């Protein structure tokens, strides 16, 4: 029940202290009551939990992780990569 | 910043099967350097769910094991608290509201779902904020919010209380069952027969509380701890980070989920918690028992909002134990696996749960039931 979904802020309503967010194509409203005033901006990525924005997602940090994954993948040789694609077809349907 | 991050990368980048495989390979290399078997407890049921869903436990080397921990607020809610909800729901002119899977957990009279079948007004909301609307729409009823959750969900309840006071709402009361993560971890470690060598720390609990709440586990108990996100790549990478700590003889709190977790956490949310809640002397955890200072209650100055004070006369406080065949307790402590339970998948299934670990989708038994056929 603490699973929460990354979303992108598309609009901020200061009177109700809520944000409209895009969660992979679905538009939803979320409360800003747990965030410092003015800390969330349109275009920010945020984590939503039970209708509240509970924190921002640090874009730069996420990009660094993704780059590190690419680098690790680059270190696998072609055979391994091939095998992992075959394996993943089996496990992740 | 070198380039723009796309929203979908936040999903798929952390679920890429090839990346999982690549980390599995790195883990295998690290595992060869280990001098003994290691058991790694994922505290939080969200991680249990990910591990089972993506079959991460199947790609580990033999000397590295996951053990599942106490981290699901639905699973650890003792029967007597559910009975409170059941009794409250049965009162005239009461609407009882809760979140998540709570509605299915069996108490000693039945679950909230059963109460509803008998005519009680039990509702389930997506967000605590919806409770406010229900209270406004039903001015002649008493609305009770049965609040559950770890550090993750506590500030949402606090934000709701703030709204109740601000808008002068008179017919909304609270049954507070918020529990905290470090206290049960300490209890597990203080038990000398525990098998825990390291922890995967909760994701969203840590978003709120910050990674600082785990310092004692590395410093005093000498257990490496890595705060991990909930995606499969997060979990497998965290595992790799833990093995590296072993092999480099380090013992630290590290944060894999650094895109969302800081050392200090969400201080705005913490302030709100501080304003309304204080620690209970004791709270009984299902299967684990009494743990001191492990749960919250409303501060005295807000006792007029506390249904446990307002309805004191009808809410019993004796302890009620679980079904005697249910070994949820040992599962929550990491001492048993759902498959060790005699009634797993037979008398106890998600549709007919005997224990709470079979109810919540993050409960270990439910996760094994749902994904077990992959084993
Ligand atoms: S409810 Fe939250 S803390 Fe509990 S298992 Fe799920 S994610 Fe973890
Ligand atoms: S299978 Fe059911 S009875 Fe057995 S431990 Fe899990 S919840 Fe309890």
């Amino acid at each position: 029940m603490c699973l929460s979904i990354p979303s992108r802020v598309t609009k901020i309503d200061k009177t109700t202290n809520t944000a409209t967010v895009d969660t992979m194509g679905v538009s939803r409203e979320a409360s800003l009551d747990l965030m410092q005033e003015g800390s969330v901006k349109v275009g920010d990525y945020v984590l939503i939990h039970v209708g509240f924005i509970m924190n921002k997602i640090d874009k730069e940090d996420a990009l660094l992780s993704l780059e590190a994954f690419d680098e690790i993948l680059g270190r696998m040789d072609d055979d391994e990569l091939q095998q992992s694609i075959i394996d993943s077809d089996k496990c992740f349907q | 910043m070198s380039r723009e991050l796309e929203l979908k990368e936040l999903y798929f980048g952390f679920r890429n099967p090839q990346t999982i495989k690549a980390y599995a390979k790195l883990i295998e290399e690290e595992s060869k350097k280990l001098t003994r078997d290691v058991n790694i407890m994922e505290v939080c049921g969200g991680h249990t769910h990910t591990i089972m869903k993506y079959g991460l436990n199947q790609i580990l080397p033999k000397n590295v094991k996951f053990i599942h921990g106490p981290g699901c607020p639905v699973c650890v809610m003792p029967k007597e608290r559910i009975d409170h909800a059941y009794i409250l729901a049965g009162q005239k002119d009461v609407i009882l509201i809760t979140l998540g899977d709570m509605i299915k957990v069996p108490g000693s009279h039945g679950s909230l779902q059963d109460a509803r079948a008998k005519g009680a007004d039990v509702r389930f909301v997506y967000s605590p904020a919806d409770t406010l609307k229900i209270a406004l729409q039903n001015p002649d009823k008493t609305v009770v919010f049965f609040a559950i959750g770890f550090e993750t969900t506590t500030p949402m309840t606090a934000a709701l209380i703030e709204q109740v006071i601000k808008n002068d709402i008179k017919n909304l009361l609270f049954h507070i069952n918020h529990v905290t993560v470090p206290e049960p971890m300490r209890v597990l470690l203080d038990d000398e027969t525990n098998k825990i060598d390291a922890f995967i720390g909760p994701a969203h609990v840590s978003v709120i509380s910050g990674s600082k709440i785990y310092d004692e586990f590395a410093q005093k108990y000498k257990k490496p701890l890595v705060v991990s996100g909930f995606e499969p790549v997060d979990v497998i990478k965290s595992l790799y980070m833990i093995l590296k700590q072993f092999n480099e003889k380090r013992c630290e709190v590290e944060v894999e989920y650094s895109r969302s977790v800081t050392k200090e956490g969400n201080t705005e949310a913490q302030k709100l918690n501080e304003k309304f809640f204080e620690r209970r002397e004791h709270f009984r955890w299902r299967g684990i028992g009494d743990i001191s200072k492990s749960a919250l209650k409303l501060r005295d100055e807000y006792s007029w909002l506390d249904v446990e004070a307002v309805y004191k006369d009808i809410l019993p406080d004796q302890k009620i134990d679980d079904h005697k065949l249910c070994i949820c307790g040992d599962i929550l402590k990491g001492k048993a696996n759902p498959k060790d339970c005699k009634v797993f998948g037979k008398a106890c299934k998600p549709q007919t749960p005997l224990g709470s670990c079979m109810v919540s989708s993050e409960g270990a038994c439910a996760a094994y039931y749902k994904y077990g056929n992959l084993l």
Side-chain angles (χ1 to χ4, degrees):
Chain A
M1 63 159 288
C2 306
L3 303 181
S4 81
I5 316 163
S7 306
R8 185 174 176 276
V9 177
T10 54
K11 216 170 87 191
I12 285 178
D13 183 339
K14 283 212 173 111
T15 49
T16 55
N17 204 34
T18 54
T20 308
V21 300
D22 164 30
T23 312
M24 295 297 275
V26 183
S27 173
R28 304 191 296 168
E29 304 259 294
S31 166
L32 283 163
D33 286 355
L34 302 181
M35 301 302 293
Q36 209 160 39
E37 215 185 307
S39 64
V40 177
K41 303 198 171 54
V42 169
D44 280 348
Y45 292 140
V46 290
L47 280 172
I48 316 264
H49 179 58
V50 296
F52 288 79
I53 292 181
M54 66 171 170
N55 224 344
K56 293 208 278 188
I57 300 170
D58 185 331
K59 287 187 209 177
E60 213 154 328
D61 187 281
L63 276 174
L64 281 176
S65 296
L66 293 166
E67 276 165 25
F69 299 160
D70 285 344
E71 199 249 330
I72 287 168
L73 281 174
R75 275 194 262 149
M76 289 172 87
D77 58 38
D78 282 350
D79 285 353
E80 283 166 2
L81 212 53
Q82 203 90 53
Q83 189 58 41
S84 78
I85 293 168
I86 297 167
D87 288 352
S88 63
D89 275 355
K90 272 187 263 163
C91 306
F92 295 93
Q93 299 135 350
Chain B
M1 208 183 299
S2 46
R3 65 182 175 93
E4 260 304 307
L5 178 69
E6 281 180 59
L7 186 55
K8 67 175 195 295
E9 291 178 282
L10 284 174
Y11 294 79
F12 302 117
F14 293 89
R15 284 182 195 174
N16 182 351
Q18 278 153 259
T19 314
I20 296 172
K21 190 85 186 184
Y23 272 110
K25 202 160 166 279
L26 292 174
I27 284 172
E28 184 156 348
E29 283 159 25
E30 285 302 320
S31 75
K32 288 181 192 144
K33 295 184 231 158
L34 291 172
T35 49
R36 62 182 179 92
D37 290 6
V38 294
N39 293 313
I40 297 164
M41 173 175 274
E42 83 278 4
V43 179
C44 174
H47 289 130
T48 309
H49 191 87
T50 303
I51 290 164
M52 295 307 293
K53 179 168 179 187
Y54 293 93
L56 301 182
N57 51 347
Q58 301 163 62
I59 55 175
L60 296 187
K62 281 207 176 52
N63 55 349
V64 180
K65 273 203 194 68
F66 284 118
I67 49 179
H68 314 305
C72 175
V74 176
C75 299
V76 301
M77 200 54 54
K79 273 191 180 166
E80 55 265 29
R81 306 293 294 176
I82 295 159
D83 287 356
H84 279 190
Y86 190 97
I87 292 167
L88 289 165
Q91 300 304 303
K92 196 169 171 294
D93 293 330
V94 164
I95 303 176
L96 189 109
I97 299 177
T98 192
L99 294 174
D101 296 324
M102 205 62 228
I103 202 159
K104 291 182 283 178
V105 184
S108 55
H109 312 293
S111 67
L112 287 170
Q113 216 162 29
D114 299 330
R116 183 153 69 181
K118 287 192 189 140
D121 194 344
V122 177
R123 302 186 196 181
F124 157 85
V125 290
Y126 159 69
S127 165
D130 300 337
T131 310
L132 211 58
K133 286 182 214 133
I134 297 174
L136 284 169
Q137 286 159 0
N138 296 277
D140 49 344
K141 299 264 165 90
T142 301
V143 176
V144 176
F145 182 58
F146 189 76
I148 56 164
F150 279 110
E151 287 87 338
T152 325
T153 323
T154 312
M156 290 71 177
T157 304
L160 175 60
I161 296 170
E162 179 104 313
Q163 291 296 330
V164 166
I165 294 172
K166 210 154 116 197
N167 295 300
D168 198 21
I169 292 175
K170 296 275 190 266
N171 61 329
L172 180 48
L173 300 176
F174 291 82
H175 193 282
I176 303 292
N177 300 281
H178 288 299
V179 284
T180 53
V181 158
E183 287 68 25
M185 288 173 69
R186 221 175 278 144
V187 168
L188 298 184
L189 289 173
D190 285 335
D191 173 350
E192 278 159 20
T193 64
N194 86 76
K195 299 186 268 179
I196 306 161
D197 297 307
F199 290 103
I200 290 186
H204 294 137
V205 162
S206 314
V207 169
I208 299 293
S209 63
S211 64
K212 64 174 190 294
I213 63 166
Y214 310 112
D215 285 346
E216 64 179 301
F217 300 109
Q219 285 159 16
K220 178 170 168 226
Y221 291 97
K222 305 288 175 224
K223 307 289 180 194
L225 186 148
V226 176
V227 174
S228 169
F230 279 138
E231 298 297 344
V233 172
D234 289 318
V235 177
I236 199 101
K237 180 180 169 195
S238 298
L239 196 60
Y240 172 64
M241 289 166 74
I242 289 172
L243 295 190
K244 275 193 84 96
Q245 286 204 34
F246 279 124
N247 286 332
E248 290 165 11
K249 306 222 175 330
R250 285 182 293 122
C251 190
E252 294 164 13
V253 174
E254 290 182 292
V255 180
E256 180 278 334
Y257 195 33
S258 52
R259 61 190 183 279
S260 300
V261 173
T262 59
K263 194 162 174 62
E264 296 306 321
N266 182 338
T267 50
E268 202 67 17
Q270 291 166 19
K271 263 187 251 158
L272 214 49
N273 288 347
E274 204 39 46
K275 179 167 174 190
F276 295 112
F277 301 121
E278 63 184 356
R279 290 200 176 257
R280 287 176 194 269
E281 281 309 311
H282 289 277
F283 191 82
R284 212 162 80 98
W285 289 55
R286 197 167 193 161
I288 298 179
D290 233 0
I291 306 181
S292 80
K293 313 261 187 208
S294 63
L296 305 175
K297 61 173 182 160
L298 280 162
R299 288 187 180 282
D300 284 346
E301 56 264 49
Y302 300 104
S303 62
W304 51 281
L305 287 169
D306 188 351
V307 79
E308 287 183 80
V310 177
Y311 282 75
K312 195 161 101 232
D313 298 340
I314 58 160
L315 300 176
D317 68 356
Q318 81 266 31
K319 300 170 179 172
I320 301 164
D321 284 321
D322 267 317
H323 194 283
K324 49 183 187 315
L325 288 173
C326 177
I327 58 165
C328 269
D330 283 342
I331 293 171
L332 293 169
K333 289 183 221 156
K335 291 186 170 180
N337 183 285
K339 297 204 157 164
D340 300 328
C341 175
K342 286 201 194 75
V343 289
F344 172 81
K346 295 178 196 130
C348 185
K349 293 181 188 173
Q351 305 80 12
T352 52
L354 288 182
S356 50
C357 307
M358 189 55 99
V359 175
S360 159
S361 57
E362 289 153 32
C365 294
Y368 270 72
Y369 188 86
K370 184 159 180 209
Y371 301 112
N373 55 357
L374 291 172
L375 294 176

